[in-house]
Amino acid sequence: MSGRTDSDTEPVIAEDTRDSEDTEGVEDTEAAEEYVGDARRARWVAGGTGALLCLAGLAAALLRLTGSAPARVPAAYALGAVVCALAAVLGSRGRTRRALWLLVAGTMVMALGDQFD
């Protein structure tokens, strides 16, 4: 083991050559953050819209219940409100596609109840 002390034992460090593979990691994290923001916004919109339609359906059911409308009308509004409440719960848990379809179905049930009058 007779080696010279002035020999290079350190590995040679190459130039800092970043290619497209290194920058993809940065772009992927930005895209992931944007995706997370979009998902959060979709959950808020689905939950808020479901809650708003639920309250509107319950208010319409109570107003129609006190009037001279047939019993099917407030029942349809109440059923639509329940479907919209379920959509709000699903939307807040991240099931935004199902929540969207339930919001459409709940609104259609309420509109159908309006046709009974």
Side-chain angles (χ1 to χ4, degrees):
M1 300 230 15
S2 61
R4 295 186 346 200
T5 57
D6 62 344
S7 66
D8 291 329
T9 57
E10 300 286 325
V12 177
I13 299 175
E15 291 181 35
D16 188 17
T17 56
R18 292 187 182 179
D19 54 0
S20 63
E21 292 177 8
D22 292 338
T23 58
E24 285 180 9
V26 174
E27 292 171 359
D28 288 343
T29 57
E30 291 173 1
E33 289 174 4
E34 185 177 335
Y35 177 76
V36 168
D38 289 344
R40 183 176 296 124
R41 195 172 313 116
R43 286 193 303 267
W44 276 99
V45 168
T49 305
L52 183 68
L53 285 173
C54 176
L55 290 175
L58 287 177
L62 289 175
L63 286 174
R64 295 295 184 138
L65 190 62
T66 59
S68 63
R72 292 185 295 183
V73 176
Y77 277 115
L79 180 64
V82 168
V83 171
C84 288
L86 179 62
V89 170
L90 285 178
S92 67
R93 292 186 179 184
R95 304 289 185 191
T96 54
R97 283 189 195 145
R98 290 185 181 110
L100 173 66
W101 286 109
L102 283 176
L103 287 173
V104 169
T107 306
M108 288 177 62
V109 167
M110 287 189 260
L112 183 66
D114 196 35
Q115 295 297 317
F116 289 146
D117 192 18

